[in-house]
Amino acid sequence: MKNSIFLIIFITFQVHSYGQNLDGLYIWSGEIKGPKTDYGIVEIKIDSDSTYTQTDFSGYKADFDDRENKWNRIVRSGKIKKDGGFYLLTEIGNRKNWHLVKIRRNKLVIYGYKKKRNGKLKKVKGIELKKASW
């Protein structure tokens, strides 16, 4: 009895002390529609100091092998803040540009808002970025 109580306390402590490792590189790629693009890549690199760097590539799939030279590239960086069951990724220097995300074991899910008929906003799932490394 004494050993089983110790074991239960030990397992409970281990479960609560195990933190989620957010660090890593998360990537999404797929077709997008635009006047000067038909393919895109989104990379979000999360560092241990609660910062992130987001790099968006867009261009033509035919130029995929030479994307560093021919594709449009946008780089943003910001801070990560826990907000309930979600995380807020807020761009540095532009507080109006933020993402609501959920970070799971091997993926990062970006959420957006859709306006309903009654005028209220509904949270909807956007894109899923798969964890690539770390």
Side-chain angles (χ1 to χ4, degrees):
M1 181 68 174
K2 200 177 211 183
N3 289 339
S4 61
I5 293 174
F6 174 76
L7 185 61
I8 291 171
I9 293 171
F10 179 75
I11 290 172
T12 305
F13 176 77
Q14 290 298 323
V15 169
H16 289 294
S17 66
Y18 176 74
Q20 187 175 10
N21 185 10
L22 305 178
D23 299 354
L25 179 65
Y26 299 87
I27 299 175
W28 174 87
S29 62
E31 293 183 14
I32 56 175
K33 293 184 170 107
K36 296 182 181 181
T37 184
D38 66 354
Y39 202 77
I41 300 172
V42 177
E43 296 178 353
I44 297 179
K45 180 183 175 203
I46 298 179
D47 296 317
S48 60
D49 61 349
S50 296
T51 61
Y52 75 94
T53 304
Q54 178 178 341
T55 307
D56 301 334
F57 295 96
S58 60
Y60 291 108
K61 194 170 184 177
D63 299 329
F64 186 79
D65 294 332
D66 196 23
R67 65 183 171 270
E68 293 293 328
N69 297 323
K70 293 186 176 181
W71 280 23
N72 184 24
R73 179 179 169 174
I74 300 170
V75 179
R76 300 179 191 108
S77 59
K79 297 209 173 257
I80 301 170
K81 180 182 168 188
K82 180 97 168 139
D83 185 25
F86 294 91
Y87 290 89
L88 284 175
L89 276 60
T90 308
E91 185 178 344
I92 294 175
N94 187 1
R95 292 179 127 340
K96 292 182 180 181
N97 191 9
W98 53 273
H99 299 296
L100 183 66
V101 301
K102 262 194 180 175
I103 301 174
R104 302 274 188 217
R105 183 176 194 151
N106 291 319
K107 64 183 174 180
L108 183 143
V109 182
I110 298 178
Y111 286 83
Y113 289 97
K114 181 178 180 179
K115 196 170 190 176
K116 294 167 59 175
R117 288 187 180 183
N118 61 5
K120 294 183 179 180
L121 296 176
K122 178 183 177 183
K123 201 177 306 176
V124 292
K125 186 176 177 181
I127 63 172
E128 281 187 17
L129 289 82
K130 305 275 186 205
K131 192 167 189 175
S133 66
W134 247 302

